[in-house]
Amino acid sequence: MKAPVIKVEGLTKHFGSFTAVDHVSFEVYEGEVVGYLGPNGSGKTTTMRMLLGLLQPSAGRAKVFGFDVAREAESIRPLVGYMSQKFALYEELTVQENLEFYAGVYGMRATAYRPRVAEVMDLVGLTGQERERADVLSAGWRQRLALGIALVHTPRLLFLDEPTSGVDPVARRLFWDLIYTLAEQGVTVFVSTHYMDEAEHCGRLGIMYQGQLLAMDTPSALKQGYLHGQAWDIVAAPLLPALDALQALPGIRQTGLLGDHLHAISEPGSYTAESLATALVAAGIAESQVEATEPTLEDVFIQQTATR
Ligand SMILES: Nc1ncnc2c1ncn2[C@@H]1O[C@H](COP(=O)(O)OP(=O)(O)OP(=O)(O)O)[C@@H](O)[C@H]1O
Ligand SMILES: [Mg+2]
């Protein structure tokens, strides 16, 4: 097997007496799209900053392309692209000038960066916007420009820190198409998010909570590993009284709306589809369709974090 692109062993960061990242270990391989899912303050940015060599680990170690993040950060930087959570654009510069400026920062000469800047604009879909000033771009365009900047020096590994926060669902979708285009070209992507739907797009997914990596696996394996109950999809009308009735049933642990239907988790062995429908009738919901289903990533996340 090839050496991992990222190898993290017991990586830890303390800020005073507070532990922001707590003995995290994982590996990422070439061409993977690995998600890092976690709520605010769970340690996602702190992990990335250590992997980029921007923040010294308190304990443990990590290697990126075989280079130690604590001692060999200079060797890592040219090989990786970083789209920071609070990325900065030069507002008074145009799209093209922003890209050219950052190419210069990476030490690229004009003969090298002119064709690369054109290529990057095409890749992220900014062709035609070259002369727009950054300060007039919409959130979705700004995000693409920030991605383009992270790509200008042709990195083989991209760190994207909540790249789609604050952009609309259509722009988010387009952005994920872009991530997959890059992965097809062999770029490895490590991307943090707190959106469950985005987490579904990742090849593998790490679940961060209070500085700890609770699990890392493919979304389907994470769901298959969910042994703590049965998930149900329930079509019922009217929806909200049905939700109340469902919540009140014994043995029902989690409930919620999922699109146009209800989703619930019951204690293992507590219901069949028929008995759950019968229980709903007894609770005053005359008609419902109950189907056993796979847990969602949100179910997995709640289960993983509930016991902590
Ligand atoms: N320089 C610092 N000094 C002290 N505490 C810090 C510092 N940087 C981060 N923290 C704390 O460490 C914890 C983890 O922060 P981090 O930014 O890694 O979380 P995150 O998962 O990226 O959250 P978000 O989704 O809000 O971006 C937070 O409680 C944060 O307040
Ligand atoms: Mg963050």
Side-chain angles (χ1 to χ4, degrees):
M1 200 182 220
K2 272 193 172 173
V5 171
I6 305 175
K7 185 174 171 67
V8 178
E9 291 175 296
L11 195 66
T12 300
K13 183 68 195 181
H14 303 298
F15 292 114
S17 60
F18 177 74
T19 305
V21 174
D22 192 358
H23 294 90
V24 164
S25 301
F26 62 86
E27 291 176 1
V28 174
Y29 290 87
E30 190 179 305
E32 279 198 294
V33 176
V34 173
Y36 209 47
L37 176 74
N40 291 138
S42 55
K44 303 182 297 296
T45 299
T46 305
T47 305
M48 281 198 191
R49 291 175 61 80
M50 286 192 283
L51 295 180
L52 286 155
L54 295 170
L55 201 59
Q56 200 70 11
S58 308
R61 55 197 206 127
K63 285 187 170 182
V64 174
F65 290 112
F67 296 110
D68 188 285
V69 298
R71 295 193 315 269
E72 298 168 303
E74 285 85 56
S75 303
I76 295 171
R77 299 244 176 88
L79 306 175
V80 302
Y82 176 39
M83 185 172 158
S84 149
Q85 191 169 3
K86 296 185 183 130
F87 61 78
L89 303 173
Y90 286 94
E91 302 292 341
E92 75 284 8
L93 299 189
T94 65
V95 165
Q96 182 164 347
E97 287 166 347
N98 264 283
L99 287 164
E100 289 179 348
F101 176 82
Y102 280 100
V105 169
Y106 279 105
M108 294 168 76
R109 291 171 189 279
T111 46
Y113 75 59
R114 289 231 169 81
R116 178 61 186 164
V117 163
E119 190 178 68
V120 165
M121 282 195 292
D122 183 47
L123 183 66
V124 301
L126 280 167
T127 309
Q129 312 271 328
E130 297 87 334
R131 292 177 204 290
E132 293 288 347
R133 272 172 55 138
D135 56 3
V136 302
L137 297 175
S138 69
W141 291 111
R142 292 174 66 82
Q143 169 212 39
R144 285 171 187 224
L145 177 53
L147 176 66
I149 287 168
L151 283 170
V152 82
H153 59 300
T154 327
R156 304 299 298 159
L157 169 64
L158 263 184
F159 289 98
L160 307 176
D161 196 0
E162 296 194 35
T164 63
S165 60
V167 304
D168 67 54
V170 175
R172 281 170 60 198
R173 181 79 233 185
L174 289 170
F175 193 84
W176 274 87
D177 289 346
L178 256 173
I179 289 180
Y180 273 91
T181 306
L182 291 167
E184 276 164 23
Q185 296 173 0
V187 178
T188 307
V189 181
F190 187 78
V191 51
S192 74
T193 181
H194 53 228
Y195 294 117
M196 296 288 170
D197 60 331
E198 285 192 350
E200 290 276 1
H201 296 309
C202 300
R204 280 193 303 137
L205 182 67
I207 296 182
M208 279 296 281
Y209 188 65
Q210 295 178 351
Q212 298 185 347
L213 182 64
L214 303 184
M216 189 182 267
D217 214 329
T218 62
S220 60
L222 288 170
K223 291 173 189 172
Q224 276 160 21
Y226 185 90
L227 301 170
H228 297 262
Q230 173 63 51
W232 304 98
D233 278 339
I234 300 155
V235 179
L239 213 49
L240 289 179
L243 179 62
D244 288 340
L246 190 62
Q247 265 162 357
L249 291 179
I252 295 291
R253 267 214 319 256
Q254 282 161 230
T255 55
L257 287 168
L258 196 66
D260 60 349
H261 62 274
L262 305 175
H263 183 78
I265 301 289
S266 64
E267 299 290 346
S270 55
Y271 290 101
T272 62
E274 291 73 29
S275 72
L276 186 51
T278 307
L280 283 169
V281 171
I285 306 301
E287 268 188 57
S288 61
Q289 288 164 33
V290 179
E291 241 179 70
T293 187
E294 182 178 71
T296 63
L297 273 180
E298 194 163 344
D299 296 332
V300 173
F301 185 81
I302 291 170
Q303 175 221 314
Q304 289 277 357
T305 55
T307 52
R308 301 283 156 167

